[in-house]
Amino acid sequence: MVLVLVIGDLHVPHRSNSVPAKFKKLLVPGKIQHVLCTGNLCTKESFDYLKTLATDVHVVQGEFDEGAYPEQKVITVGSFRIGLCHGHQIVPWGDQDAISIVQRSLDVDIMISGSTHKFEAYEREGKFFINPGSATGAYSALLADVAPSFVLMDIQGGNVVTYVYQLVDDEVKVEKRDFKKPE
């Protein structure tokens, strides 16, 4: 079992004060092997917080980040090639066709992007796509109400069990999605 935290669009301190306390209680050091962040951490302090959760932290550049991160990144976890990009450079934002073009250019099994602040997970053409949403519920011009969310992927062989954590009405709701790598 390999646990991968997929998180992004924190926007601390510009649009939010911090990751919700109920999420911080769930995100404990020593349980997670990899952190994949879609960017917009905004400060080094947010990056340092992610480093407390796992030693292997990968971040891509959001349009509000102070750090110099790559625009895109490919990480291999188990038998999966995972692509990571913030998503502000994908036009229109969140468009499945446009995200698929990036997925194909990176030649990845799982494509992770952000920017919209809205959680999404879907299969398309034998590939898996994830947008973790905003971990803080930061303001978005695209949505009237942003529910804070993050994703934990449990990777075992050619299977990924994805757990989506959303803070709704001050309660943490968890959904499960499965993806099996085509042979």
Side-chain angles (χ1 to χ4, degrees):
M1 173 172 85
V2 177
L3 283 181
V4 179
L5 172 63
V6 181
I7 194 166
D9 288 304
L10 279 69
H11 289 280
V12 174
H14 309 295
R15 297 183 190 178
S16 184
N17 293 327
S18 69
V19 172
K22 290 187 176 186
F23 282 178
K24 283 186 175 181
K25 283 184 180 179
L26 298 170
L27 298 172
V28 293
K31 305 264 187 214
I32 298 165
Q33 286 76 41
H34 308 275
V35 176
L36 306 181
C37 179
T38 61
N40 278 344
L41 292 170
C42 297
T43 63
K44 183 182 180 312
E45 290 76 19
S46 292
F47 177 78
D48 292 343
Y49 167 68
L50 295 181
K51 288 290 283 183
T52 68
L53 302 176
T55 54
D56 188 42
V57 176
H58 300 273
V59 180
V60 289
Q61 186 76 31
E63 72 268 45
F64 296 105
D65 280 320
E66 289 176 1
Y69 305 110
E71 287 285 318
Q72 299 174 337
K73 197 166 193 175
V74 175
I75 304 100
T76 301
V77 178
S79 65
F80 290 94
R81 285 178 47 87
I82 302 170
L84 186 62
C85 79
H86 176 255
H88 68 278
Q89 60 280 75
I90 296 173
V91 180
W93 287 354
D95 181 77
Q96 291 185 1
D97 291 333
I99 296 169
S100 289
I101 292 169
V102 175
Q103 174 273 317
R104 285 190 299 275
S105 73
L106 296 176
D107 188 27
V108 294
D109 306 300
I110 301 171
M111 184 69 219
I112 298 169
S113 62
S115 190
T116 65
H117 297 204
K118 181 182 178 193
F119 161 74
E120 276 192 295
Y122 58 92
E123 267 186 73
R124 183 175 181 168
E125 298 173 3
K127 306 299 180 186
F128 195 44
F129 296 81
I130 299 171
N131 181 332
S134 168
T136 60
Y139 163 81
S140 167
L142 302 176
L143 301 169
D145 190 30
V146 179
S149 60
F150 69 88
V151 171
L152 267 179
M153 294 191 305
D154 178 2
I155 297 178
Q156 299 179 29
N159 297 314
V160 177
V161 180
T162 303
Y163 299 94
V164 183
Y165 293 79
Q166 292 185 302
L167 193 60
V168 180
D169 297 327
D170 205 36
E171 277 190 52
V172 177
K173 308 280 186 191
V174 183
E175 268 182 61
K176 180 180 160 189
R177 312 248 172 124
D178 296 311
F179 173 71
K180 184 175 172 100
K181 187 175 182 176
E183 296 180 20

